[in-house]
Amino acid sequence: MGNNLVLGQYYNSKSWFHALDPRTKLLSILLLMVSVFLMSNFYFLLGTFALIIILILSTRIPFGKFLRSLRAVAMLLLFTIIFQIVFSRQGEKLWEGEFKLDGLIIMIGIILFIIFSLTKKIFPKFRSIQLLLIIAFVFVMQYFKIFNFNFNFFLTDDFISYPIKIYNEGLSLAGTVILRILSLVFVSSLLTLTTKPSDLTNGIESLLKPLKKIGINVSIFAMMISIALRFIPTLINEANKILKAQASRGVDFKESKFREKITQIISLLIPMFVIAYKRAGDLAEAMEARGYVPNSERTSINELRLKLSDYTVISVMILFLSGVITILATGLYAI
Amino acid sequence: MGINFQKVGFYYYTPKKKQVVEYTLSNINLNIEESNEFIAIVGHTGSGKSTLVQLMNALLLPKTGEITIGNKVLTKKTKVEMKPIRKKIGLVFQFPEYQLFEQSVLKDIMFGPRNFGFSVEEANEQAIKMSQVVGLEESLLSRNPFSLSGGQMRKVAIAGILASNPEILIFDEPTVGLDPLAKNELMSLLKKLNDDGKTIIIITHDMEVVSKYCKRVIVMKEGEIAIDTTKDQLFKTEGLLEKYSLDYPILLTLLKKIKEQYNVDLDIYKYNTNDAYLELVRVFGDSYGK
């Protein structure tokens, strides 16, 4: 279980982007995100997206890794597209149609869905394909009016009927939104895939150092973050052990009722808290024994140093953002 | 409810295409009777001991081969109810004190039996009985388990497993972290349970424990059973230390030395000081007295 979890999902490959200073990566990705937000022109976004894709390909990370990060926002993307296209009423009308479902087909769809929910445990692998097939089947039936009887039966009335009008403005809006979301997701996974979590915290710590002047000690927070990250696998390991120990005492999350499940979750949570506290105490003592004093000035074993490539990347990014801002401000291409 | 392993193999990671499977356990053939056995599983760290015992109570399922527990056959794809198996085969993990969570000791001991379908009265009765068996004072039963000492907590955890009345009891390194007194108490408890007819299986590194209490020894090496034999046979094997990083018990080493030194007909396979003393008296008694 613990080994499937990808933390920080760092992917090791040797590329120029991996070799950049974490601060450079953080800053440039921040700048890139800001420019993506500022842009509203479809063609500009498309160009930026193409640039991002080139950047991604240059890191030699398999493209599937990036596509996988899309899974979390897939639903959001889908709904955004549908809503933008269907509900937008600006610009020229391109196409008009009607979305209809009559009673009989709704009935058939419901029956199919019930059969699906009863059988989905038998073929768990093909669950989503099965569901997709059912939905597609329903729409295809409606489109070709397979069950279009001539007599007037109450079920053949259209239960759902909604006019669909597609306007060009809606399409371009949908396009910009998709490009924006894709760019943001790809860019953020570009950061996490090419930077180790420890480097990332180092970078954040170094970037936020000026906050010390107003009394916030960033290094303590950075230490807390790195400890938290470090202990996630350990705690998952412990959780597995406790889970097995309780399973030997008859805890079974699959075979029990809801009321039993609550005590069973408690039987996992309390030992976990106890272990976490104990570990935290042990760690604090071990750190003190090795001379850790909070708030004191300390040097890092891997001192961050900016190289020529870092300066180049940052200046290119700053130029890019200022270019976007200039275009927006002068209104040359702004739509 | 005996346990039978037939050519069992196990690996933890689902291998990707073309990847060579690294077996944690391979080709395990084993038969464990449902009563009267006292088995020690010994071996190097990482030799698969813990995995082996987790297979025995169906916490893990074999990837190849099959395990028969009672009348149930477990293979890679088996989907049987695991509770009856776990009720009959109790597994006490290393540092079982971490599994405690209830508000009182009594409730915690009752947790297992309640899960296995005992009624409240039965569970209560079992809990009180087993707390006496493991030697917990009655005044402790109403206390919060987290206020107990480490040794007491371990007793509570063991009582919690005993309370569901399993036929086979498996302990993963039960004596680690206990003081000598608690260790002796625990091992005599296991011996008592064994004398009452239960099969006891322990994982241990402590050859003194093995020599004193166990009857049969399974030596694991790199995921396979290297030796499965009686205690006497094991200690007759030469080169245990080099081959399996196992030590001979001190008493045995000493008797062996004496035997070689004086070239006498001494039975060196004595596992407690009293027996050894009597054997020494038998051989040297007369001359020593004079």
Side-chain angles (χ1 to χ4, degrees), chain A residues 164-210:
Chain A
I164 297 177
K165 292 167 191 162
I166 293 176
Y167 293 84
N168 67 343
E169 193 76 341
L171 277 182
S172 77
L173 259 178
T176 44
V177 170
I178 292 166
L179 280 179
R180 232 179 233 163
I181 294 177
L182 283 182
S183 308
L184 289 179
V185 172
F186 279 175
V187 158
S188 51
S189 42
L190 186 65
L191 180 67
T192 49
L193 280 167
T194 57
T195 324
K196 287 180 199 153
S198 55
D199 284 346
L200 210 56
T201 38
N202 273 348
I204 294 172
E205 182 188 348
S206 164
L207 279 177
L208 295 181
K209 230 171 216 166

Side-chain angles (χ1 to χ4, degrees), chain A residues 11 26 62 69 92 104 106 143 165 186 209 250 282-283 289 306:
Chain A
Y11 185 89
L26 269 166
S69 61
E92 273 176 58
L104 194 61
I106 291 179
Y143 189 75
K165 292 167 191 162
F186 279 175
K209 230 171 216 166
D282 288 353
L283 181 71
L306 291 176

Side-chain angles (χ1 to χ4, degrees), chain B residues 243-259:
Chain B
K243 268 191 208 157
Y244 310 109
S245 51
L246 296 175
D247 214 350
Y248 293 95
I250 291 178
L251 201 54
L252 190 97
T253 327
L254 180 67
L255 290 174
K256 204 173 181 180
K257 198 89 190 167
I258 294 173
K259 186 179 175 184

Side-chain angles (χ1 to χ4, degrees), chain A residues 3 242 244-252 255 260 263-264 266-267 270-271 274-275 278, chain B residues 13 54 57 59-60 81-83 86 91 93 98-101 108 111-112 115-116 146 161:
Chain A
N3 302 294
I242 297 291
K244 277 180 177 167
Q246 303 297 25
S248 317
R249 295 214 276 167
V251 168
D252 201 320
E255 292 165 15
E260 289 169 0
T263 15
Q264 292 174 351
I266 292 173
S267 78
I270 291 182
V274 172
I275 288 173
K278 198 175 140 33
Chain B
Y13 306 103
Q54 286 177 37
N57 99 1
L59 282 173
L60 302 172
E81 226 188 325
M82 302 300 181
K83 265 194 192 180
R86 291 181 190 148
L91 174 55
F93 275 88
Y98 287 125
Q99 72 193 34
L100 308 179
F101 73 99
D108 208 286
F111 179 69
N115 279 329
F116 289 123
F146 296 106
I161 300 284

Side-chain angles (χ1 to χ4, degrees), chain B residues 14-247:
Chain B
T14 333
K16 287 168 194 153
K17 280 174 202 165
K18 292 178 192 169
Q19 196 182 340
V20 183
V21 183
E22 269 184 52
Y23 279 92
T24 315
L25 288 177
S26 54
N27 198 21
I28 302 283
N29 293 302
L30 189 61
N31 189 45
I32 294 167
E33 301 296 330
E34 63 181 41
S35 60
N36 288 322
E37 291 224 57
F38 203 130
I39 304 173
I41 301 177
V42 294
H44 213 261
T45 320
S47 59
K49 305 184 297 280
S50 294
T51 313
L52 182 68
V53 295
Q54 286 177 37
L55 283 165
M56 287 180 188
N57 99 1
L59 282 173
L60 302 172
L61 287 175
K63 291 280 157 77
T64 57
E66 57 178 53
I67 302 176
T68 317
I69 301 176
N71 50 8
K72 282 186 174 140
V73 180
L74 302 175
T75 57
K76 192 179 178 182
K77 287 175 182 169
T78 314
K79 276 178 190 158
V80 294
E81 226 188 325
M82 302 300 181
K83 265 194 192 180
I85 295 174
R86 291 181 190 148
K87 181 176 179 293
K88 291 291 173 197
I89 297 165
L91 174 55
V92 182
F93 275 88
Q94 205 172 358
F95 301 114
E97 43 271 37
Y98 287 125
Q99 72 193 34
L100 308 179
F101 73 99
E102 285 278 11
Q103 294 106 319
S104 77
V105 170
L106 185 68
K107 270 191 177 175
D108 208 286
I109 301 177
M110 281 166 67
F111 179 69
R114 289 288 289 139
N115 279 329
F116 289 123
F118 287 50
S119 71
V120 181
E121 292 79 33
E122 279 175 321
N124 199 13
E125 196 184 304
Q126 274 289 328
I128 291 171
K129 196 172 136 199
M130 287 310 157
S131 62
Q132 282 163 358
V133 169
V134 297
L136 279 172
E137 289 156 40
E138 212 166 333
S139 60
L140 292 178
L141 289 183
S142 55
R143 292 247 310 258
N144 186 314
F146 296 106
S147 68
L148 303 180
S149 74
Q152 285 169 330
M153 279 163 101
R154 193 167 295 191
K155 280 181 182 172
V156 173
I158 291 172
I161 300 284
L162 285 177
S164 354
N165 201 16
E167 286 169 3
I168 298 178
L169 271 161
I170 308 171
F171 293 82
D172 192 346
E173 305 216 18
T175 54
V176 170
L178 290 182
D179 57 64
L181 180 69
K183 183 169 145 185
N184 269 340
E185 274 179 17
L186 178 64
M187 288 316 296
S188 341
L189 167 69
L190 298 194
K191 188 156 170 34
K192 203 173 88 191
L193 290 168
N194 181 241
D195 291 341
D196 293 343
K198 285 198 196 308
T199 285
I200 309 279
I201 302 167
I202 60 171
I203 293 180
T204 184
H205 285 290
D206 191 340
M207 291 313 273
E208 301 299 325
V209 166
V210 174
S211 75
K212 257 189 198 163
Y213 300 98
C214 300
K215 298 174 184 165
R216 176 177 163 192
V217 185
I218 294 169
V219 180
M220 301 284 297
K221 195 188 182 191
E222 286 158 13
E224 292 188 38
I225 293 180
I227 303 175
D228 176 4
T229 177
T230 59
K231 179 167 61 179
D232 285 355
Q233 282 299 325
L234 177 80
F235 292 135
K236 276 174 194 161
T237 318
E238 295 287 327
L240 277 187
L241 188 63
E242 294 78 35
K243 268 191 208 157
Y244 310 109
S245 51
L246 296 175
D247 214 350

Side-chain angles (χ1 to χ4, degrees), chain A residues 14 17 26 36 57 80 83 96 102 120 209 228 245 252 259:
Chain A
K14 277 183 183 137
F17 202 81
L26 269 166
V36 167
L57 293 178
T80 322
F83 280 103
E96 193 173 347
D102 64 31
K120 70 180 171 189
K209 230 171 216 166
D252 201 320
R259 221 181 73 93

